[in-house]
């Protein structure tokens, strides 16, 4: 096996600007839902989804929570510097960094970085908000590499950094919305089941789920489980190389509990992933399991690991190896990172059904969808364009059945 040679231009489609959903619908579950199954495309309303899922399935969600990670500072010269927190550096653990009460260092994307010469910045507070002023948040550039750098934050008052971000930051909505964050985004650019802080982008497939829809899914005999992958800013990065082999994937940390790993190992029904982040987490588990089998311990998943050679192990063997490693070492959770890229030619080991939104042209997510439906992505996107579906983060949803998955459940209507 080898790195796939794939031209990004082959995954282009024309998306009129008016088809990009700039705002969410009033009701989360009122979006349209496209179903792709056995090569047939039809449509429903999202709240219909419980009846469309295979009975006896296990449905996996990403319960990461978006943090208001975009901060606006100002130099004494008046120049504005935008700082977008990506991941903690010191302390490096998310929970510890968020709990820091006076200082922490984060890797950041720095807007207008050429104007920042390394002097200490003060938070931009044009309205004179006293709660912001009291914190006296400062930023100091520690290290710089192009548009990214390590930034040291210091503040007064003893509040944890998570609270500082809540007071001073804004939700980093995607740049393709071409607008500033608004009050509605604080609620709607977040899933109803978001739990663990750390993402700078929402796992948007989950934005359609309401407590009522989740209850309906449970009533259909479908089990629910959560993984956590913190979505990085790399999700916004366009593919700039002409071939996918030239595109570097960003690392994203994820965690899966021992209890859920056992449920996945023992699952006899379909495995349903809500969102591409859940897919990347679940499919990464196979290769983590391979490292446990072959090397005795879990290793992070590299970008091209799935394409480097043939792997003889079943999914159950791989997951069981992780379970054995965790139990042997007295651990209740797998914590690791992945750079996995899923493109045509990828062999899916775990996921049978995917719930996902409609993605940008020539993106890695279009390649993932194409891999999942055996190259039939244009049929899906042509239908969505022709039938007035709304696109991207606040847009409509799709329910995709992998054509070559082994039927594990009773036929559904």
């Amino acid at each position: 096996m080898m790195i796939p040679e794939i031209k990004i231009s082959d995954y282009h489609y024309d998306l009129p600007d008016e088809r990009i959903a700039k705002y969410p619908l009033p009701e989360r579950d009122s979006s349209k839902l496209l179903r792709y199954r056995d090569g047939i495309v039809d449509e429903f309303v999202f709240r219909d989804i419980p009846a469309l899922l295979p009975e006896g399935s296990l449905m996996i969600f990403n319960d990461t929570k978006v943090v208001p990670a975009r901060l606006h500072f100002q130099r004494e010269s008046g120049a504005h510097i935008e700082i977008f927190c990506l991941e903690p550096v010191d302390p490096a653990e998310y929970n510890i960094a968020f709990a820091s009460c006076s200082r922490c260092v984060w890797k950041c994307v720095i807007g207008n970085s050429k104007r920042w010469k390394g002097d200490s910045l003060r938070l931009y507070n044009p309205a004179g908000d006293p709660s912001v002023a009291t914190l006296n948040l400062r930023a100091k550039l520690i290290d710089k590499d192009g548009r990214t750098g390590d930034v040291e934050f210091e503040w007064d008052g003893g509040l944890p950094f998570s609270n500082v971000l809540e007071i001073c930051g804004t939700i980093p909505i995607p740049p393709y919305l071409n607008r500033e964050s608004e009050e509605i985004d604080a609620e709607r650019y977040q899933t109803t089941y978001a739990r663990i802080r750390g993402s700078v982008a929402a796992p948007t497939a989950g934005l359609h789920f309401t407590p009522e829809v989740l209850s309906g899914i449970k009533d259909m005999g479908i089990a629910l489980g959560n993984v956590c992958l913190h979505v990085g800013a790399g999700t916004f990065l366009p593919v700039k190389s002409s071939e996918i082999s030239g595109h570097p994937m960003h690392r994203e940390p994820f965690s899966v509990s021992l209890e859920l790993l056992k449920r996945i190992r023992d699952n006899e029904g379909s495995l349903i992933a809500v969102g591409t982040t859940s897919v990347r987490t679940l499919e990464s588990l196979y290769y983590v399991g391979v490292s446990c089998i072959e090397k005795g311990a879990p290793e992070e998943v590299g970008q091209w690991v799935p394409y480097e050679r043939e792997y003889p192990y079943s999914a159950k063997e791989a997951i069981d190896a992780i379970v054995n490693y965790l139990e042997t070492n007295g651990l209740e959770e797998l914590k690791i990172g992945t750079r996995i890229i899923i493109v045509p030619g990828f062999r899916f080991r775990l996921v049978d059904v995917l719930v996902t939104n409609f993605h940008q042209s020539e993106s890695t997510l279009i390649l993932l969808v194409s891999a999942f439906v055996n190259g039939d992505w244009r049929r899906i996107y042509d239908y969505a364009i022709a039938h007035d579906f709304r696109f991207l983060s606040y847009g409509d949803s799709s329910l995709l059945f992998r054509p070559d998955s082994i039927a594990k459940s009773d036929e559904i209507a």
Side-chain angles (χ1 to χ4, degrees), residues 105-406:
V105 179
W106 283 66
K107 182 174 290 297
C108 302
V109 172
I110 303 167
N112 205 14
S113 61
K114 292 181 180 179
R115 303 291 297 276
W116 193 7
K117 305 303 181 183
D119 50 319
S120 182
L121 305 179
R122 302 280 175 171
L123 191 75
Y124 183 54
N125 184 22
D129 186 332
S131 60
V132 172
T134 300
L135 289 171
N136 189 27
L137 180 63
R138 291 92 67 195
K140 182 179 178 181
L141 188 61
I142 303 298
D143 188 34
K144 187 175 172 183
D145 181 15
R147 287 195 63 225
T148 63
D150 292 349
V151 177
E152 179 185 57
F153 297 102
E154 292 183 312
W155 61 97
D156 302 334
L159 286 179
F161 191 59
S162 57
N163 288 31
V164 173
L165 288 177
E166 294 289 344
I167 294 169
C168 301
T170 58
I171 290 289
I173 60 173
Y176 48 67
L177 294 184
N178 291 319
R179 64 174 177 82
E180 292 297 317
S181 298
E182 299 179 22
E183 189 174 335
I184 190 173
D185 300 309
E187 175 193 357
R188 296 297 300 277
Y189 194 63
Q190 197 84 268
T191 64
T192 59
Y193 49 82
R195 190 170 62 91
I196 303 173
R197 291 183 300 240
S199 280
V200 298
T204 55
L207 297 180
H208 308 277
F209 288 85
T210 62
E212 293 76 20
V213 168
L214 292 171
S215 178
I217 291 171
K218 290 179 185 177
D219 290 343
M220 297 300 293
I222 294 163
L224 309 183
N226 292 329
V227 297
C228 182
L229 179 142
H230 291 317
V231 188
T235 193
F236 297 146
L237 295 178
V239 179
K240 294 183 178 179
S241 56
S242 60
E243 296 199 356
I244 194 60
S245 58
H247 179 73
M249 285 293 284
H250 51 290
R251 177 190 181 273
E252 291 172 318
F254 72 87
S255 59
V256 185
S257 70
L258 174 60
E259 182 270 336
L260 181 58
L261 285 164
K262 290 179 178 178
R263 291 170 63 197
I264 293 170
R265 178 194 61 188
D266 300 335
N267 176 50
E268 297 295 334
S270 295
L271 189 63
I272 305 169
V274 177
T276 57
T277 60
S278 296
V279 172
R280 294 180 67 244
T281 301
L282 292 167
E283 294 296 330
S284 291
L285 288 176
Y286 177 82
Y287 300 97
V288 174
V290 168
S291 64
C292 288
I293 293 170
E294 297 183 346
K295 301 181 180 180
E299 290 186 348
E300 297 209 342
V301 183
Q303 178 168 340
W304 299 110
V305 165
Y307 311 91
E308 291 174 349
R309 61 183 174 94
E310 297 286 348
Y311 295 90
Y313 315 106
S314 69
K316 283 186 181 295
E317 288 173 325
I319 301 300
D320 196 47
I322 304 174
V323 169
N324 289 337
Y325 174 84
L326 294 178
E327 290 184 332
T328 299
N329 290 276
L331 302 172
E332 292 296 322
E333 187 176 44
L334 172 71
K335 289 186 176 182
I336 205 159
T338 184
R339 285 186 169 86
I340 196 171
I341 186 169
I342 298 177
V343 300
F346 182 86
R347 179 181 173 187
F348 287 88
R349 306 281 182 164
L350 285 98
V351 180
D352 303 299
V353 184
L354 168 61
V355 179
T356 190
N357 284 16
F358 296 93
H359 306 290
Q360 284 183 292
S361 176
E362 300 185 28
S363 65
T364 58
L365 301 183
I366 282 283
L367 293 173
L368 185 153
V369 169
S370 179
F372 196 80
V373 298
N374 282 0
D376 204 16
W377 71 276
R378 284 197 183 275
R379 184 200 303 262
I380 295 164
Y381 276 65
D382 286 348
Y383 183 99
I385 291 286
H387 290 78
D388 296 325
F389 276 67
R390 302 162 74 247
F391 278 64
L392 307 184
S393 294
Y394 278 140
D396 294 319
S397 185
S398 65
L399 174 64
L400 311 178
F401 289 76
R402 185 161 59 84
D404 57 350
S405 64
I406 299 171

Side-chain angles (χ1 to χ4, degrees), residues 47-95:
R47 62 176 64 99
D48 298 331
I49 196 170
L52 304 177
L53 302 176
E55 292 183 13
S57 298
L58 174 58
M59 194 171 199
I60 304 295
F61 299 80
N62 182 4
D63 64 1
T64 187
K65 188 173 186 178
V66 182
V67 295
R70 181 168 281 144
L71 298 160
H72 293 88
F73 288 84
Q74 188 173 30
R75 294 186 64 200
E76 289 186 5
S77 66
H80 288 260
I81 309 292
E82 181 182 279
I83 297 178
F84 186 2
C85 297
L86 296 181
E87 59 180 307
V89 174
D90 180 25
E93 280 285 329
Y94 278 86
N95 287 343

Side-chain angles (χ1 to χ4, degrees), residues 35 37-38 51-55 353 399 401 409-413:
R35 179 176 68 172
R37 188 168 183 267
D38 297 330
L52 304 177
L53 302 176
E55 292 183 13
V353 184
L399 174 64
F401 289 76
S409 58
D410 295 334
E411 286 292 302
I412 59 173

